[in-house]
């Protein structure tokens, strides 16, 4: 059976809404504070973009390498839709131990989806990175809050990636049943 490709839309409502809000905010700043303030804001935004571009490029490059290095069959078997609870646990462990910021983790999650992971394991991966990431616990939480707080926080957060992954799988299956496509189920 040939793999169905996702239809690319020529118009994205989310982009149009964000662009409209940005333009409205820019006009409001211009009317309130004048041209100098608008130029200062745009300059700072450009500096932020220039600072983030290398990180974004590195994250996308890593994700591209992952899609070329990992065999699709293995990824689909280990963290695909048929992987069950074991797939969610594997994704949770990967998310908990992988260092890096959002500019690395989100492209990696997208790469895993391209390679055959299901939406539930991607959600478990990202949720574990956010809630259980050892990097944040070692660098920020332990020095400020101590081991007892960090231990309790991790213990309480431990089931959340699995719950999120299961809920994402259920939502994806419901959407697929209603005819919304089965891209990641």
């Amino acid at each position: 059976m040939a793999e169905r490709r996702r239809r690319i839309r020529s118009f994205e409502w989310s982009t149009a809404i964000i662009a409209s809000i940005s333009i409205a905010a820019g006009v409001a700043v211009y009317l309130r504070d004048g041209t100098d303030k608008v130029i200062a804001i745009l300059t700072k935004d450009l500096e932020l973009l220039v600072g983030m571009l290398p990180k974004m490029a590195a994250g996308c490059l890593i994700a591209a390498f992952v899609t070329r290095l990992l065999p699709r069959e293995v990824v689909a078997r280990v963290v695909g839709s048929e992987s069950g609870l074991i797939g969610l646990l594997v994704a949770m462990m990967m998310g908990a131990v992988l260092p890096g910021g959002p500019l690395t983790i989100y492209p990696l999650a997208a790469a895993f989806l391209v390679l055959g992971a299901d939406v539930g394991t991607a959600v478990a991966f990202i949720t574990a990175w956010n809630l259980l990431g050892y990097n944040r616990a070692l660098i920020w939480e332990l020095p400020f809050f101590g081991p007892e707080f960090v231990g309790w926080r991790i213990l309480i957060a431990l089931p959340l990636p699995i719950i999120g992954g299961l809920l994402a799988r259920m939502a994806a299956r419901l959407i697929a049943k209603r005819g919304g496509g089965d891209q990641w189920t």
Side-chain angles (χ1 to χ4, degrees):
M1 181 169 92
E3 186 176 321
R4 258 182 45 193
R5 294 190 143 224
R6 183 175 161 198
R7 197 175 120 224
I8 298 174
R9 290 181 262 164
S10 59
F11 185 80
E12 285 287 336
W13 279 102
S14 59
T15 304
I17 291 169
I18 291 171
S20 300
I21 291 170
S22 299
I23 291 169
V27 169
V29 169
Y30 173 75
L31 292 174
R32 190 184 69 193
D33 299 326
T35 307
D36 291 339
K37 188 66 172 184
V38 172
I39 291 172
I41 290 170
L42 290 175
T43 303
K44 287 288 187 186
D45 288 347
L46 187 62
E47 289 173 8
L48 177 65
L49 177 67
V50 168
M52 287 178 64
L53 273 178
K55 297 172 188 167
M56 289 171 50
C60 292
L61 191 61
I62 290 169
F65 285 146
V66 164
T67 61
R68 303 307 268 167
L69 293 173
L70 291 177
R72 184 178 183 86
E73 304 79 36
V74 173
V75 173
R77 186 180 71 238
V78 174
V79 289
S81 60
E82 302 301 319
S83 63
L85 192 59
I86 298 295
L88 293 176
L89 288 170
V90 167
M92 183 177 87
M93 292 303 297
M94 285 175 25
V97 301
L98 279 178
L103 297 176
T104 306
I105 296 300
Y106 289 106
L108 272 177
F112 289 136
L113 287 172
V114 167
L115 284 171
D118 74 326
V119 70
T121 54
V123 167
F125 172 73
I126 292 171
T127 305
W129 173 77
N130 277 302
L131 296 177
L132 306 174
Y134 82 94
N135 208 14
R136 177 182 29 250
L138 286 176
I139 294 171
W140 296 105
E141 293 174 354
L142 275 173
F144 288 106
F145 300 117
E148 185 177 354
F149 174 85
V150 174
W152 279 108
R153 189 197 62 74
I154 288 174
L155 186 66
I156 291 168
L158 207 54
L160 295 178
I162 302 297
I163 293 169
L166 290 171
L167 289 173
R169 281 181 176 172
M170 286 177 18
R173 288 188 180 120
L174 281 173
I175 291 168
K177 280 184 184 175
R178 292 185 177 192
D182 59 350
Q183 182 178 2
W184 294 310
T185 55

